[in-house]
Amino acid sequence: APESSLYLNEMYMIKGVLYVNTKERGLCYLDEEKSELVTILPSPDEVKSYTGILPNSADRLLIREVVNITEEVPEDYKPQNGQNSYSNDGEHYYIITGSDIAVKEYDFESKTWNVLYTAHKESENADDDCPYIFGELFAWKEKPENSRKYDVCTENYRVSTGLTGCEIIYADDKKLVVKLGSASTTSDTKIVHVYDLENSMHYVIDYDGL
């Protein structure tokens, strides 16, 4: 109905249930029997925080919550080093000096949110080290001490890739897939490495020209 329309940021289906992340009512699921949306996470402050669904193929309801740390500045303040200034009322102005990040999972039985990982960003544009889910498992990269080559760590295992640069594509209990190089540098390539954990095999796929 027009009087109850919502701005939909995201839609996601898990185990046959539709979840929608809305501007007005936060994160909700569709109760098909009652034909209504049920809020399970209220809508955050749009400037100070942001909540997004983390898509995955493991039927897990995961969100990434970012809470910005702000500092009030004069109206004529000139942002530096990529900063952005904003105002909600035209009288008070702020910049984002950092943020706290949390990854949470919804427990369908207890109907509660559990915090899985947390991280802190020192500035608005800095990278955070909060693990991200790639397919079915959370995964992140680490360089062992005195090594130039990356290990990829997940919730369940660690793989020594033998690569000095890689981007994680997918991880589950049977395989790990990474792309050689880095999209943030000129070393980006069209070569994929697949680590078959069931058969202890390592495949290299060059998809240049495909």
Side-chain angles (χ1 to χ4, degrees):
E3 65 272 11
S4 60
S5 62
L6 297 171
Y7 185 93
L8 303 181
N9 292 315
E10 299 168 296
M11 294 193 295
Y12 197 59
M13 185 75 74
I14 304 177
K15 299 180 180 179
V17 178
L18 178 65
Y19 292 84
V20 292
N21 194 6
T22 72
K23 177 180 178 180
E24 294 82 1
R25 296 183 54 182
L27 182 58
C28 313
Y29 73 87
L30 176 61
D31 186 329
E32 293 197 59
E33 291 186 0
K34 297 181 180 179
S35 297
E36 64 181 23
L37 292 176
V38 179
T39 298
I40 57 175
L41 191 68
S43 180
D45 182 297
E46 289 185 21
V47 174
K48 290 191 175 181
S49 61
Y50 169 78
T51 299
I53 297 173
L54 289 179
N56 63 90
S57 56
D59 282 335
R60 301 168 70 177
L61 180 53
L62 301 159
I63 62 167
R64 188 174 187 272
E65 183 180 77
V66 180
V67 179
N68 292 321
I69 301 168
T70 61
E71 176 184 327
E72 189 168 359
V73 295
E75 182 178 353
D76 58 355
Y77 177 81
K78 294 182 179 180
Q80 301 174 356
N81 300 323
Q83 292 176 337
N84 293 306
S85 63
Y86 68 90
S87 175
N88 290 331
D89 54 15
E91 296 181 3
H92 300 87
Y93 291 80
Y94 302 87
I95 57 170
I96 297 174
T97 59
S99 56
D100 292 316
I101 298 153
V103 174
K104 300 180 180 180
E105 179 169 11
Y106 187 69
D107 187 313
F108 298 104
E109 294 186 3
S110 65
K111 300 186 185 304
T112 57
W113 290 95
N114 300 317
V115 178
L116 303 182
Y117 301 101
T118 59
H120 175 73
K121 290 173 61 174
E122 292 294 336
S123 64
E124 184 177 1
N125 297 315
D127 294 330
D128 67 80
D129 56 0
C130 206
Y132 200 86
I133 190 163
F134 295 89
E136 296 196 358
L137 296 177
F138 281 90
W140 59 96
K141 299 184 298 183
E142 289 183 1
K143 278 187 178 179
E145 189 174 359
N146 299 321
S147 175
R148 296 176 56 247
K149 298 178 180 180
Y150 279 104
D151 287 359
V152 172
C153 306
T154 75
E155 303 167 84
N156 301 331
Y157 57 80
R158 173 188 290 264
V159 171
S160 297
T161 66
L163 306 174
T164 56
C166 64
E167 297 293 331
I168 303 170
I169 302 297
Y170 179 84
D172 65 19
D173 286 325
K174 297 181 180 180
K175 65 178 177 287
L176 169 69
V177 183
V178 304
K179 183 172 179 287
L180 177 64
S182 173
S184 61
T185 69
T186 56
S187 65
D188 191 28
T189 68
K190 294 186 177 181
I191 297 176
V192 166
H193 289 252
V194 180
Y195 303 87
D196 184 334
L197 305 179
E198 284 191 308
N199 301 305
S200 298
M201 298 293 290
H202 177 193
Y203 304 96
V204 181
I205 304 169
D206 186 343
Y207 65 94
D208 189 23
L210 297 181

